[in-house]
Amino acid sequence: MHWNIVRFDTLDSTNLEARRMIQNQSTGQSLHGTVVTAGQQTGGKGRLGRVWESPSGTGLWFTAIIQPQVPMEQASLYSFAAAVSVAEAIRQAADLQVTLKWPNDVLLNGKKLCGILLELIPYSKTEYYIAIGIGINVRQRKEDFPPELQEKAASLAMFSEKTIDQPALLDTILQQLKRTCTQLEAQGFAPLRDQWKAWSAIIGQEVSVQQYGNVLYTGIAEDIAMDGSLLVRTADGLQRVTAADVSLRSKDGTYGF
Ligand code: BTN
């Protein structure tokens, strides 16, 4: 796979631009490997309909378009490839150790450093692309985040001595993404799942699972199933979590972010 980076100063959202490119593509043209990046996003999108703050020049906001080589039901597994790639790239480029929280948050010192939004975009009856949107906070100071995020969000600059070269970080992530996607397609989910679990902050920990603000259950995060869902051991048995938010139980017994 060869990456083709398309840069914009400002976009509403790199995921929306990727969708427009796919919808407007001419016959015979392939967008596989196209990467859309923006200096700022005016309508950055998060998971579950949330907003993703993406001010000018403070972070890496980009979307990689991929034509998956797996059946549509397995497309969500690419978000694990993305999370592992970001973790590995940050270790290489910034010398920082992140952890992963299901489904695909990247945490630094327990705070959210990076979010991943994977969208499936069909373009014919049988063919589809995925848009892997990745947002990494790079330069913000604590006070640059909106008040409600200040205790929950992290940037690389908050914890790294190094000045981060953003284009170089993007290149390192894309190299890793090529590796993890190729591995997923050639060897299936098992090796990637093992890598994800090695970076994970939640396996074996007590978690609370919420959907749209309501707690569904609490229990021990036991494993990741082969379809990417999270398996949580509760008092009533093993629960399979597909679309939700997960919080870790802190030492004081409260559930944090
Ligand atoms: C999350 O809620 O954790 C996912 C956040 C994803 C943000 C990235 S920034 C680049 C891309 N474009 C968007 O509008 N969203 C994603």
Side-chain angles (χ1 to χ4, degrees), residues 86-175:
V86 169
E88 196 66 53
I90 287 174
R91 191 172 57 78
Q92 287 178 22
D95 223 355
L96 290 170
Q97 187 75 15
V98 298
T99 54
L100 301 180
K101 184 164 80 82
W102 187 91
N104 38 46
D105 287 348
V106 180
L107 309 184
L108 185 54
N109 287 359
K111 297 181 177 191
K112 185 152 163 174
L113 174 77
C114 160
I116 295 168
L117 177 66
L118 184 134
E119 294 183 288
L120 207 137
I121 307 172
Y123 70 96
S124 77
K125 279 209 177 91
T126 52
E127 290 163 307
Y128 72 105
Y129 284 108
I130 48 172
I132 308 179
I134 301 181
I136 304 181
N137 299 322
V138 178
R139 294 174 47 174
Q140 295 96 327
R141 293 159 304 166
K142 188 175 178 181
E143 57 273 25
D144 295 332
F145 289 108
E148 67 280 9
L149 294 183
Q150 289 186 3
E151 295 308 319
K152 297 182 186 171
S155 74
L156 291 175
M158 281 161 64
F159 297 101
S160 175
E161 305 286 289
K162 285 191 176 176
T163 309
I164 306 298
D165 177 344
Q166 295 199 36
L169 177 60
L170 175 61
D171 282 347
T172 312
I173 295 170
L174 293 176
Q175 275 168 26

Side-chain angles (χ1 to χ4, degrees), residues 38-100:
Q40 70 171 348
Q41 299 184 115
T42 52
K45 299 198 295 172
R47 279 180 64 237
L48 308 172
R50 288 185 282 239
V51 168
W52 182 262
E53 294 288 333
S54 346
S56 177
T58 57
L60 264 184
W61 327 122
F62 68 97
T63 299
I65 302 176
I66 287 178
Q67 197 165 21
Q69 302 299 315
V70 302
M72 219 184 254
E73 313 77 70
Q74 292 168 21
S76 65
L77 300 180
Y78 282 83
S79 65
F80 291 86
V84 166
S85 302
V86 169
E88 196 66 53
I90 287 174
R91 191 172 57 78
Q92 287 178 22
D95 223 355
L96 290 170
Q97 187 75 15
V98 298
T99 54
L100 301 180

Side-chain angles (χ1 to χ4, degrees), residues 1-6 8 14-37 63-69 119 121-124 127-132 174 177:
M1 183 199 311
H2 175 73
W3 298 113
N4 172 32
I5 301 178
V6 186
F8 293 82
T14 54
N15 270 36
L16 285 175
E17 181 61 25
R19 184 178 289 270
R20 288 190 288 266
M21 283 178 163
I22 292 167
Q23 282 161 354
N24 297 333
Q25 77 175 325
S26 38
T27 340
Q29 179 197 12
S30 173
L31 291 168
H32 180 60
T34 301
V35 177
V36 183
T37 85
T63 299
I65 302 176
I66 287 178
Q67 197 165 21
Q69 302 299 315
E119 294 183 288
I121 307 172
Y123 70 96
S124 77
E127 290 163 307
Y128 72 105
Y129 284 108
I130 48 172
I132 308 179
L174 293 176
L177 196 57

Side-chain angles (χ1 to χ4, degrees), residues 158-243:
M158 281 161 64
F159 297 101
S160 175
E161 305 286 289
K162 285 191 176 176
T163 309
I164 306 298
D165 177 344
Q166 295 199 36
L169 177 60
L170 175 61
D171 282 347
T172 312
I173 295 170
L174 293 176
Q175 275 168 26
Q176 288 295 325
L177 196 57
K178 185 173 170 177
R179 176 186 71 79
T180 52
C181 290
T182 309
Q183 189 182 46
L184 176 65
E185 288 160 7
Q187 298 172 34
F189 185 41
L192 181 61
R193 181 177 71 154
D194 288 346
Q195 290 163 54
W196 189 93
K197 282 165 68 176
W199 285 103
S200 154
I202 65 165
I203 300 297
Q205 303 293 315
E206 223 176 315
V207 294
S208 143
V209 178
Q210 299 122 33
Q211 213 168 33
Y212 301 108
N214 303 315
V215 176
L216 296 181
Y217 20 74
T218 55
I220 304 286
E222 203 166 274
D223 207 349
I224 302 296
M226 283 307 275
D227 65 353
S229 52
L230 176 68
L231 301 176
V232 178
R233 174 77 53 192
T234 71
D236 300 327
L238 199 61
Q239 306 288 345
R240 185 181 282 265
V241 183
T242 50

